[in-house]
Amino acid sequence: MSINVLLVDDHVLMLMGLKELLEKEADLHVVATLSDPSALEETIGRRNPDVIVLDVRMKTKNGIELAKIVRQEFPDLKIVILSGYNYDEYIDAARQAGTDAYVTKEKSNTELITAIRQVCQGRRIFPYQHREQAGEALTAKEREILRQIAADKTNAEISEELSISKRTVEYHIASIMRKLDADSRVGAVVNGIKKGLLNV
Amino acid sequence: MKKKMIPILFVFIFVIVNLYCLGRVLTDRSLLRFLSKVSSIDYYYSLLFIGLMFVGTGLVCFLKRPDSIVIRSFFYLMYTSGFAIALSNASGLDVLPGKEIEVITASLAPYFLIRFFEFFPSSSKPLFFQYIRRVTLLLAAIINIVFFCTYPYHLSRSPELLQFIRIALIANVCISLIACICLTYLHLKMNSSKVKNQLYILIASLVLSFLPVLFLSLIPAILHLANIPFFFSLLSIILFPATLAYLLTMQEIIDIKMSMRPLLFEILALLLSLVSVNVLFFLFYPLTPELFYRLNGFMLVILAIYHLIQKIVEPLVKREWTSKEHDIQREKKIILQQILNGQHLASCGRLIVNLIHQTVDINGACLIWKKNQAPKIIYQTGIFADGRLADACMQHLNHKKNEHRSEALNCHIFPLDNEQGNKGWIIIGQKINETHLDRNERLLLEKIQSDAAELLTSTETLSGLGRELRETQNRSLSQEQFNHALLIDREEEKRKLSIYLHDEVLQNVILMANKVEALHDEQIIGDKAYLEMKEIFMNGIYDIREMSRELHPFMVEDLGLEQSLQALKRKLQNNYNVVIQTAYDLSLKVISKKLAIQVYRMIKELLYNAIKHSSSPFVSVSLKSLDHSLIINVKDKGKGFKIPASLSNLTEENHLGLITVQKRVDQLGGRFDITSEEGKGTSITITLPLERSDELEYQRTAGR
């Protein structure tokens, strides 16, 4: 039995790319693509898809608001939010809007496909957030970065010193903060000292 | 005038109808007997009194403030309920217009109650209230239609129908009361303690006024239980208008207390004079009731006529006064306008010529002043008044240079000179007694001449300065507007660019990344090359996304202010060695997206500013709403700095961020307060007014 998918994204090229990608899978069938979300409800009623994939930001509509409306009218429909943002706030908002999955766009294509399949089995898929990781051990790189933070270095300085991109630095710091159960760099350093990760 | 006539007419109808009913009851023996069987004539009088008190309270309030919508609703409420109360007995006795008017007024009273509460403590109200208002109006209409449609068939007198109408009326009252209590509860939750206090009093009065009537007589009467006579339970109803009047005075919508005082004195004076006249009169004549009534009636009529005449004459006298006052005002306005138009010169010239006339007895004088080298007559009197002589003088003087006395024209000429050479002349005619100017007079005139030159020169400079000032003001105003437009434009540009980056560039890069991944999956690209490319793509995506976010805070539009501030806090704590404490308390207030974006930008700017300049490890942000304003505070415990006398001097110290924020606050009509002490930290407080549209939005959400 194939899964019927409806794609909604106001970026036509993206829409085409996604369609091509999903059509390669035997068990997925794209019933329609929509670049204008104003006709969404009507299309859902007509095409009766199992899953809709919604872009979080469209020119005229807000994907999360749209998801809320769809959730109210079609409670059994699975909603996957496809987003360019990897911020906790967006993920939380999507979760609260009653969507079933949140996938960031730059993640590998297989992730979206897996998400669609799993959602149809009744699971909810969201990128890991804070709490789940607290207490895990830091990697060597992360310990190095924590030392740099304690030495009062800025992100730019750290990125230069370790010759990694600023994005990676930021990613590592976020990870450090999660693992040390802190919500700021200052807190991370304090907790790091408590745990003996830093020599004072 | 028209506005006041209608309520007075209404009250007039009230009085006439009640007098008629009373007359019918008093003259008709059978009715009287029936009445005394059911209750008593005193009971009827007391009801009339209660009704009159209701209507009277309403009318007094209305006449004081006919324009206030609250008072108008109050009057109608008082009028309908008062009428219904006053006629309840007459309707029970089946006196003709009694029942009909009672049905109309009693059915409409709940509607007016709701109307009144729509505006009473404050005019904000939830949507459901308007629905209930419509429901009560509909119920009232149904009651009236049912009653009057059955009227021609005499069905309206059937006990079943009357029972139905009574139940409908009580239901209507109950609905409106519940709605009012709900609204009051809502107001209690949101308003200040002063209003709260008033509302508590109001609730107590409402309960005390209406509950006894409802529970002691109306409901038992329907259920055919033993009931306490209407008479006793009704007495409590007086509490309601009294409390409302009290509340209206305390809230200073109208002030009954102030207006009652002179009235009280008037009544006292009237009583005193009546008593003294009576005492005097009956010293000489025997005291009989007939004579007593006649005398006092006569006196009252005379006083009434006196008052009436006074009332008629007063506006006439007042009009005369006001018209004169009007003239003076107009003159004042003209003079002010002249000054504004830079015509000081003319008034100055008039003063100088008047001074000359006071000094020397002459048959005329004329003041000529050159404006841009062209001589112009500023002021002229006496023989110069028709202008011909003055013109001739001017012609003559333009050719021949300064002379003290022009033989040909038979007048004295005093040139007015300053550093720039000759600026004009004062021309003086002959003395009235035909003698020459003597030495003293000539000295005085010369003094005036030099003073006049100085005065006129400075006046001219002054008016020039005024003009320049106005021009500069205009220029600066347009500069301000231009700046404003630029700022808006810049924001729009940023937004567009941000959208372009996010929706076009970023999507394409992501698409490319996906393509590369697909190629890798198909083994066209090797592992090493793929990982390298992926890293580059990821960095590119990250950079574009950050830039797009930097340019326009989309998250505020998507998720709202609170979430966005949380994200900002997280990002800053992630990237800088700083702890940010946020306090977000807007309770129910909804902020428009436009304002939210502005607020977000300001807070962001202030936070970056604090982190960059203060090097404080701790920054706190608080956002709260107070009445109709939004208060933002950003505080650090860092270095602090010396605040220059003018905020615009901040540019010199590279505090451009602060100035941008201040400009933004200015445009939003808010206030920007900054306190800073070196070594102790900086605190910036911004107070922004919440716009009307925000208020509306708020009301809509409250009504949901």
Side-chain angles (χ1 to χ4, degrees), chain A residues 9-11 13-14 17-18 20 24 55-59 62 64-65 83-90 92-93 96 105-110 130 149 151-155 165-168 170 173-174 177 183-187, chain B residues 495 499 502-504 506-508 510-511 513-515 517-518 521-522 530 534-535 538-539 541-543 545-546 548-549 554-559 563-564 566-580 593 617:
Chain A
D9 192 328
D10 64 349
H11 195 258
L13 266 181
M14 194 76 192
L18 279 176
E20 196 185 312
K24 276 188 196 157
D55 188 6
V56 80
R57 243 210 99 72
M58 282 167 281
K59 283 188 192 80
N62 178 344
I64 287 172
E65 292 297 317
S83 166
Y85 300 103
N86 191 10
Y87 302 125
D88 286 359
E89 284 73 18
Y90 271 96
D92 277 340
Q96 275 159 22
K105 279 188 183 169
E106 72 267 30
K107 281 282 161 61
S108 68
N109 296 327
T110 45
H130 288 212
I149 294 173
D152 211 8
K153 295 256 171 69
T154 65
N155 282 11
S165 73
K166 264 207 256 179
R167 176 182 70 89
T168 320
E170 213 166 283
I173 293 175
M177 276 164 41
D183 63 356
S184 67
R185 284 158 73 115
V186 182
Chain B
R495 192 187 135 84
I499 290 176
H502 187 271
D503 288 357
E504 304 295 327
L506 186 61
Q507 306 286 328
N508 284 334
I510 288 174
L511 209 62
N514 286 346
K515 209 90 196 176
E517 193 187 324
D521 288 348
E522 290 163 22
Y530 166 67
K534 191 178 171 181
E535 180 67 17
M538 284 304 167
N539 284 341
I541 289 169
Y542 170 83
D543 285 342
R545 188 170 288 155
E546 286 303 301
S548 162
R549 191 157 94 134
F554 279 110
M555 199 189 274
V556 181
E557 283 179 10
D558 289 347
L559 303 183
Q563 303 274 26
S564 313
Q566 215 51 42
L568 178 66
K569 170 189 171 178
R570 207 158 49 80
K571 189 174 157 65
L572 288 175
Q573 289 190 151
N574 196 336
N575 290 348
Y576 300 92
N577 287 343
V578 68
V579 174
I580 295 167
K593 282 196 172 155

Side-chain angles (χ1 to χ4, degrees), chain B residues 303-315:
Chain B
L303 282 174
I305 290 172
Y306 170 72
H307 262 275
L308 207 67
I309 291 173
Q310 209 180 16
K311 278 269 145 62
I312 294 167
V313 171
E314 210 168 71

